[in-house]
Amino acid sequence: GSRQNDGVGNCGLGLLLESNSTSFDIGGSASTSTAGGVQHGSNVIYQIPELAALGRIFKSSTPIPLTETETEYVVQCLKHIFDQHVVLQFMVTNTIDDQRLDNVSVSVESDDENVFEITGEMPAQSIKYGSTQSCFSVLERNENTSLSSCVFNCELKFTVVQIDPSTGEEEEGVDPYEEEYPLEHMEIYVSDFVAKTSSALDFRKSWEGIGNKYEVLQKFALQERSLEGAVKAIVDCMGMSTCDGTHQVKAAAKQHMLHLSGIFLGGVAIAVRSQVALGPSGSIILKIAIRSGRADVSKLMSECIG
């Protein structure tokens, strides 16, 4: 089925050609920036004591569909990022007029249980026909394991109660029964832990302020076939704000400079300068310099591309 990426951990965008090489220089000036980020669903979280106790939400994703829109049960997922936890909010819509769904939850399993442990589940008590309710899963980050993107298998679980559509009452003599419904995979990406910066950010000042102590320099051959496509893919991959209007590629350009800024979970500033250029035989070459205040964050962000 189809899957929407609202941010990408390891995009598999390109093939790493050189790492921490001093053989290329990324120039270009910087002054202003543009950014924008919409928070979703945080009010819902703070109204639930068990979830509010996890602290302040660092970032919330946009809704990710885990079903097709025309199915019997429509499920979307929101990822809410906390300091030590990720709360998955599953919004479930019941589109079947002769059913009520009780005790609704989404079972979540990861291929790699070293990064996140499932520590809590909050089912939705009851979902009537035509209504949408949320159930939640709480994941705790393993502090001893470095953060990485993780794929989760998801399955909707609920009890079906038969309803007479004409009266809205429960059908007599029909016992409720347990049901399971497979959903699309859901992924947590490294970029889920990166927040966009304000549009007032001075990129050059940020770049020079962070310094090059933990700078990572890499060179990639990208799979994209145009500079515009490459720039869009890099921005989507990193989950950061574009600065200085560098998201726009000039027509017929042979190369393009892209400036990105963001804040990693824990308040770590990140700045990225990248040069995208047309290589031989129509390939796209990316030279990227990533700066942050922590070595592990610079390394993590560099792994977003390859």
Side-chain angles (χ1 to χ4, degrees), residues 50-289:
E50 298 92 328
L51 300 181
L54 300 176
R56 181 176 158 271
I57 293 174
F58 172 71
K59 178 185 174 183
S60 295
S61 73
T62 51
I64 304 147
L66 299 184
T67 57
E68 301 295 336
T69 49
E70 303 302 316
T71 49
E72 306 98 310
Y73 314 111
V74 177
V75 182
Q76 292 185 307
C77 178
L78 281 171
K79 295 176 276 190
H80 302 284
I81 309 295
F82 293 80
D83 279 345
Q84 295 300 327
H85 298 82
V86 176
V87 173
L88 303 176
Q89 177 183 354
F90 298 100
M91 296 175 291
V92 183
T93 306
N94 175 12
T95 69
I96 302 180
D97 64 358
D98 63 354
Q99 287 186 3
R100 187 182 77 225
L101 315 181
D102 285 1
N103 194 28
V104 182
S105 64
V106 173
S107 160
V108 177
E109 286 181 7
S110 170
D111 297 340
D112 179 3
E113 294 183 353
N114 291 327
V115 182
F116 296 100
E117 183 187 352
I118 296 146
T119 56
E121 209 175 67
M122 297 183 65
Q125 284 185 315
S126 184
I127 308 178
K128 295 176 181 174
Y129 164 63
S131 72
T132 301
Q133 300 288 339
S134 291
C135 56
F136 302 87
S137 291
V138 180
L139 311 178
E140 186 168 358
R141 274 176 57 207
N142 182 346
E143 289 186 45
N144 302 319
T145 306
S146 65
L147 193 62
S148 64
S149 58
C150 285
V151 178
F152 294 86
N153 297 317
C154 301
E155 189 171 47
L156 186 65
K157 297 189 171 186
F158 50 93
T159 300
V160 175
V161 179
Q162 292 297 139
I163 299 293
D164 180 345
S166 59
T167 64
E169 300 293 320
E170 291 182 27
E171 289 273 17
E172 289 182 22
V174 182
D175 290 336
Y177 58 93
E178 306 288 310
E179 187 69 284
E180 294 174 352
Y181 189 81
L183 304 173
E184 296 277 351
H185 296 320
M186 190 277 305
E187 193 159 355
I188 293 177
Y189 303 105
V190 169
S191 58
D192 285 325
F193 298 87
V194 179
K196 294 179 187 291
T197 49
S198 120
S199 57
L201 180 107
D202 181 331
F203 180 83
R204 177 185 278 280
K205 195 173 173 184
S206 173
W207 175 258
E208 290 170 355
I210 293 168
N212 63 359
K213 184 178 180 183
Y214 301 120
E215 184 175 65
V216 174
L217 298 167
Q218 290 183 321
K219 185 177 177 181
F220 293 92
L222 300 187
Q223 296 169 347
E224 297 292 331
R225 281 284 160 257
S226 71
L227 292 186
E228 293 89 346
V231 165
K232 183 179 185 308
I234 294 162
V235 172
D236 288 348
C237 247
M238 307 290 278
M240 299 168 70
S241 299
T242 55
C243 301
D244 311 323
T246 57
H247 60 289
Q248 292 176 319
V249 179
K250 288 192 174 79
K254 294 281 190 285
Q255 66 176 42
H256 180 77
M257 287 296 303
L258 175 66
H259 296 157
L260 300 169
S261 73
I263 304 287
F264 195 83
L265 182 68
V268 183
I270 316 163
V272 173
R273 293 175 108 165
S274 52
Q275 182 191 67
V276 187
L278 293 173
S281 68
S283 64
I284 304 275
I285 302 297
L286 165 67
K287 296 175 183 177
I288 190 165

Side-chain angles (χ1 to χ4, degrees), residues 20 210-217 268 271 289-299:
N20 282 333
I210 293 168
N212 63 359
K213 184 178 180 183
Y214 301 120
E215 184 175 65
V216 174
L217 298 167
V268 183
I290 299 168
R291 289 184 176 185
S292 84
R294 277 189 4 214
D296 60 322
V297 171
S298 297
K299 181 174 181 290

